[in-house]
Amino acid sequence: MASFGLHQRMASAPHIEERAGCSSRCSPAIQGCWRTRVHGARGVATASERRRVVSLRRSAASTDVVCFDDSHDVKGRQAAAAPPAVDKVGVLLLNLGGPETLNDVKPFLFNLFADPEIIRLPQVVQFLQPFLATIISTLRAPKSAEGYKAIGGGSPLRRITDDQANALADALKAKGQAANVYVGMRYWHPYTEEALEHIKRDGVTRLVILPLYPQFSISTSGSSLRLLESLFKSDRALKQLRHTVIPSWYQRRGYVCAMADLIVQELGKFQDVPSVELFFSAHGVPKSYVEEAGDPYKEEMEECVRLIMEEVRARGFNNSHTLAYQSRVGPAEWLKPYTDESIRELGRRGVKSLLAVPISFVSEHIETLEEIDMEYRELAEGSGIRNWGRVPALNTNAAFIDDLADAVLEALPYVGCLAGPTDSLVPLGDLEMLLQAYDRERRALPSPVVMWEWGWTKSAETWNGRIAMLAIIVILVLEATSGQSILKNLIWAE
């Protein structure tokens, strides 16, 4: 039986059961951490609480794990004790997805903005989400299509992710573990629902869920995991599927070294290597996600950059570095410093050589190929930066794929358990427990895209005109389909 409902059981009367690989000496410490997170004043783990979890987990032996079970769930315990007749391992890679053709851009954007993890509305107006998604995707589609046209007419993300899945399956096989690797995209094909159908059809008995985002965020890994949670709960077959989640892996040695390898390789292309500014550009998120919802993204990103810079310096390169956040939309405040403002500031300070490092992306896509390579390079050159370079995304980098394979192998013993050994701020574990550990109240957050302003402003005037035009179009469509003059009837109605 799948280990859903663990949050509720922990909050009332947790039953800790020792199983193979579990250590009772670490259980009380980690259990205490989780109780703090569950019963916190806001239901959100604070930075100090997350650091305490990490500290306690680092002090535990590498084989320590905590398994939770319901003492009254006899059938569930019997099912867990009985191994399946055929053990079939699966790995589910989660990613954003992207439009493969220009015609896909608008529906892709609709899927993106219809996601309640991207734009959170108060419950009383959540029914407006599809309407808002339609308006935003319609308005943004032309500009987004220009960007995709500039990189060849579509996103390469699906092709690259499929290549990563094939390479990961080969790496696992070389390490002695046969596994089927599936790709589930959040906003485009192959959708997560499609991947789960393949997983069920193939008879997978143990599943490792691996988001292809090194750092955890509500708006990326969190969104995909929320969807998975709802799909697991609504499907009887998936409820029986034993699984574990690797929510973030930015701190893994293999990943850090692979990033350092690429940085050192690109630094070698500059004439004056010590003068090169290492410019880490991460995807931004609204500041409210971090401050109001407890998103660990900023903390994990800063720690990730620190680890990579330690490795780069250990190889004899003492370049200065900057971390900034790109891709913000709308006037709401996002994580700072912003990439564009930071580039201008570096130019004012006299920096002449800059190496851009896409830090939250492991695949080439529009934000590396168009936003960084084109927009930010043009901005840098206009700001006085004469020598530009960019570290490529990891894609199917051999060291990176090998480390992902190790991460899967290390997670397999903990399928069905709360947590395994990790230094991540977001612990490996069961879907529902993981999601309840952060953002428990799921508060309504300010939309990153401001649709209109109240009052007599240019924005209001523009939207008044658009709403009036929309109303006229609706009336004309109704008249054309019904054959009746609705406008005339409205005017002459008594």
Side-chain angles (χ1 to χ4, degrees):
M1 182 174 182
S3 50
F4 287 107
L6 295 182
H7 168 69
Q8 288 80 3
R9 289 199 287 271
M10 279 189 64
S12 53
H15 170 75
I16 302 178
E17 176 189 5
E18 290 188 46
R19 298 178 186 167
C22 297
S23 171
S24 59
R25 65 184 175 82
C26 75
S27 299
I30 300 180
Q31 180 192 3
C33 291
W34 280 96
R35 184 179 292 112
T36 300
R37 299 178 71 153
V38 170
H39 295 292
R42 293 193 306 144
V44 175
T46 65
S48 60
E49 288 167 352
R50 288 195 294 268
R51 282 192 292 269
R52 181 168 174 251
V53 171
V54 173
S55 175
L56 286 168
R57 295 170 68 80
R58 283 173 174 164
S59 66
S62 61
T63 56
D64 288 343
V65 62
V66 180
C67 302
F68 288 87
D69 199 4
D70 188 339
S71 58
H72 301 291
D73 186 8
V74 178
K75 292 182 179 179
R77 296 177 67 182
Q78 291 174 343
V86 177
D87 182 41
K88 195 164 189 178
V89 172
V91 181
L92 176 58
L93 302 181
L94 301 177
N95 213 332
L96 187 78
E100 297 173 65
T101 69
L102 296 181
N103 291 332
D104 298 336
V105 172
K106 184 177 176 181
F108 166 76
L109 291 176
F110 174 84
N111 293 339
L112 177 69
F113 291 111
D115 181 2
E117 298 295 337
I118 300 298
I119 298 180
R120 292 189 180 184
L121 299 176
Q123 188 172 2
V124 293
V125 294
Q126 284 180 355
F127 67 94
L128 291 174
Q129 189 107 29
F131 175 69
L132 293 178
T134 298
I135 294 176
I136 298 172
S137 59
T138 300
L139 295 176
R140 292 182 61 87
K143 187 177 187 304
S144 294
E146 290 178 8
Y148 284 107
K149 186 177 181 179
I151 63 171
S155 172
L157 191 58
R158 177 175 183 173
R159 172 182 57 79
I160 294 172
T161 309
D162 284 342
D163 290 344
Q164 290 170 330
N166 293 331
L168 178 58
D170 290 342
L172 286 168
K173 184 177 180 180
K175 294 175 182 288
Q177 177 62 64
N180 291 354
V181 183
Y182 307 86
V183 173
M185 300 294 192
R186 183 63 180 90
Y187 304 116
W188 203 244
H189 300 285
Y191 290 117
T192 305
E193 294 88 340
E194 298 173 48
L196 290 179
E197 287 302 316
H198 285 291
I199 288 170
K200 289 192 297 181
R201 187 178 63 210
D202 291 345
V204 170
T205 57
R206 289 192 292 160
L207 181 67
V208 176
I209 301 168
L210 177 59
L212 287 177
Y213 310 104
Q215 306 83 16
F216 182 93
S217 174
I218 291 171
S219 57
T220 53
S221 305
S223 174
S224 290
L225 296 178
R226 287 275 185 204
L227 174 62
L228 276 175
E229 180 192 35
S230 65
L231 294 172
F232 271 53
K233 284 184 174 181
S234 62
D235 189 299
R236 175 174 293 183
L238 292 176
K239 284 181 180 178
Q240 306 299 321
L241 179 59
R242 299 170 64 219
H243 67 274
T244 193
V245 182
I246 306 174
S248 64
W249 34 270
Y250 65 93
Q251 80 292 351
R252 292 189 59 83
R253 178 71 179 164
Y255 165 72
V256 170
C257 288
M259 288 297 299
D261 289 342
L262 293 178
I263 290 172
V264 170
Q265 177 181 314
E266 294 301 315
L267 277 174
K269 298 178 181 179
F270 289 84
Q271 290 184 348
D272 185 10
V273 173
S275 69
V276 178
E277 179 78 14
L278 297 182
F279 189 85
F280 292 88
S281 188
H283 194 289
V285 299
K287 186 178 179 181
S288 58
Y289 285 21
V290 174
E291 294 188 348
E292 297 181 32
D295 195 335
Y297 178 71
K298 181 176 183 289
E299 224 173 325
E300 292 198 350
M301 184 59 68
E302 292 171 352
E303 176 71 2
C304 178
V305 171
R306 184 187 68 79
L307 292 171
I308 293 173
M309 285 305 303
E310 283 183 356
E311 180 63 26
V312 169
R313 291 187 180 112
R315 301 183 186 192
F317 297 88
N318 295 308
N319 300 68
S320 61
H321 74 281
T322 299
L323 168 61
Y325 297 90
Q326 67 180 81
S327 307
R328 75 183 189 276
V329 293
E333 186 175 3
W334 285 45
L335 291 182
K336 291 183 177 180
Y338 300 139
T339 292
D340 54 351
E341 294 179 357
S342 295
I343 289 175
R344 293 189 186 96
E345 176 60 25
L346 289 172
R348 285 192 292 268
R349 283 165 38 190
V351 171
K352 298 301 179 185
S353 300
L354 185 146
L355 178 59
V357 185
I359 188 59
S360 51
F361 315 106
V362 297
S363 308
E364 300 289 3
H365 64 308
I366 192 169
E367 290 177 2
T368 60
L369 299 173
E370 194 272 337
E371 191 171 1
I372 294 179
D373 285 355
M374 298 179 186
E375 293 182 25
Y376 292 140
R377 178 172 185 170
E378 182 180 352
L379 176 62
E381 292 173 349
S383 301
I385 296 172
R386 297 289 173 256
N387 305 304
W388 168 275
R390 202 262 284 179
V391 171
L394 288 164
N395 292 335
T396 54
N397 175 279
F400 165 59
I401 295 297
D402 187 72
D403 189 54
L404 285 187
D406 287 340
V408 171
L409 294 175
E410 292 165 15
L412 276 174
Y414 305 103
V415 166
C417 293
L418 167 63
T422 176
D423 291 336
S424 172
L425 293 174
V426 183
L428 175 151
D430 166 84
L431 271 176
E432 185 173 14
M433 175 61 73
L434 176 66
L435 290 170
Q436 291 289 359
Y438 85 92
D439 190 20
R440 182 171 166 227
E441 297 177 5
R442 298 198 73 244
R443 304 176 179 185
L445 295 173
S447 167
V449 180
V450 175
M451 297 299 302
W452 54 71
E453 302 173 52
W454 296 107
W456 192 256
T457 64
K458 183 178 180 180
S459 174
E461 186 177 0
T462 300
W463 275 100
N464 287 338
R466 289 173 177 167
I467 293 171
M469 182 60 68
L470 179 62
I472 292 172
I473 292 173
V474 170
I475 291 173
L476 291 175
V477 170
L478 290 174
E479 287 185 350
T481 55
S482 67
Q484 300 179 5
S485 180
I486 296 175
L487 188 59
K488 180 179 178 181
N489 292 339
L490 287 174
I491 295 173
W492 295 100
E494 295 183 359

